Amino acid sequence: FKLLSSHMKVHISELNNQVYIDPLTSVENKGAFSNYLAHLQERMDADPERLHFAVGVFDCDNLKMINDLYGHDKGDLYLKNACQLICKIFKSSPVFRIGGDEFSVIMQNNDYNNREELTEKFKAAMKATAVVSTNSWDQVHVAMGLATYDPMTDPAVIDVVRRADKYMYANKRASKKASS
């Protein structure tokens, strides 16, 4: 019976990984993101003043161009490189792949306290990939939006996510204007 129980735990863990882990990047997926947001919402409902978090939304630029010019295997490498950089900088936060070329980070604790510094580190690390890499898929070009939870103006977690998304699109538009 103990052996069967052990096998069941392993099987359940493997199934959980299949359901909540993105197979390309090995970070958590959109389903896991939804679960995490629901848990945050419960904490927000219980004690909004004690909850401190920020949401980062990242959108990879140039994926379609890389896929079209070099193939989807290079596009996959590009997504992995972008994800690795996000994970490296925001190492104390859960990272989620929430769409084809979109990622999100929920910053709490040390990452929350150092969010501005980490954002600047991320921007510098992105620029560094362009300096050291000649291949488009090795360079990371990501638009980022960051929103901080404010208990006075955010009745729901999704409000913070939407604001981060809005900031990300503003960042994307600004970088397109700067490069044209």
Side-chain angles (χ1 to χ4, degrees):
F1 184 71
K2 254 186 175 176
L3 185 60
L4 181 62
S5 176
S6 176
H7 285 303
M8 285 296 285
K9 284 180 184 175
V10 168
H11 186 64
I12 289 169
S13 176
E14 288 171 355
L15 287 173
N16 195 44
N17 280 347
Q18 288 176 10
V19 172
Y20 293 114
I21 301 296
D22 175 57
L24 178 67
T25 61
S26 299
V27 297
E28 293 180 278
N29 65 18
K30 191 170 186 168
F33 182 66
S34 295
N35 287 346
Y36 199 94
L37 294 182
H39 175 70
L40 265 182
Q41 186 64 53
E42 288 172 8
R43 290 178 55 206
M44 183 188 285
D45 293 343
D47 193 355
E49 297 296 324
R50 292 197 60 212
L51 187 61
H52 304 283
F53 72 94
V55 176
V57 175
F58 304 80
D59 184 88
C60 299
D61 297 328
N62 307 329
L63 179 62
K64 182 176 177 359
M65 183 263 309
I66 291 168
N67 280 337
D68 291 350
L69 289 177
Y70 307 106
H72 288 271
D73 58 329
K74 299 300 188 217
D76 288 351
L77 277 174
Y78 176 66
L79 288 172
K80 287 180 188 178
N81 288 331
C83 183
Q84 286 170 355
L85 187 62
I86 294 166
C87 290
K88 178 181 173 187
I89 301 298
F90 301 95
K91 57 181 158 245
S92 299
S93 298
V95 176
F96 304 89
R97 184 174 178 202
I98 57 172
D101 62 352
E102 285 193 20
F103 295 87
S104 186
V105 174
I106 308 293
M107 291 170 244
Q108 296 178 287
N109 305 316
N110 281 343
D111 279 5
Y112 171 79
N113 294 331
N114 300 309
R115 62 194 176 279
E116 287 91 4
E117 178 187 332
L118 292 172
T119 299
E120 292 307 312
K121 267 184 165 176
F122 181 75
K123 290 175 186 175
M126 254 195 322
K127 285 180 183 166
T129 66
V131 172
V132 299
S133 304
T134 55
N135 297 322
S136 299
W137 56 87
D138 290 328
Q139 299 175 16
V140 177
H141 299 282
V142 175
M144 178 188 177
L146 176 69
T148 303
Y149 167 61
D150 180 350
M152 301 305 289
T153 59
D154 296 317
V157 172
I158 197 67
D159 296 317
V160 185
V161 175
R162 285 184 185 129
R163 200 165 58 253
D165 202 47
K166 184 175 120 187
Y167 295 155
M168 180 274 298
Y169 280 109
N171 176 248
K172 194 177 212 42
R173 282 190 302 276
S175 65
K176 279 187 181 177
K177 271 187 185 175
S179 66
S180 57

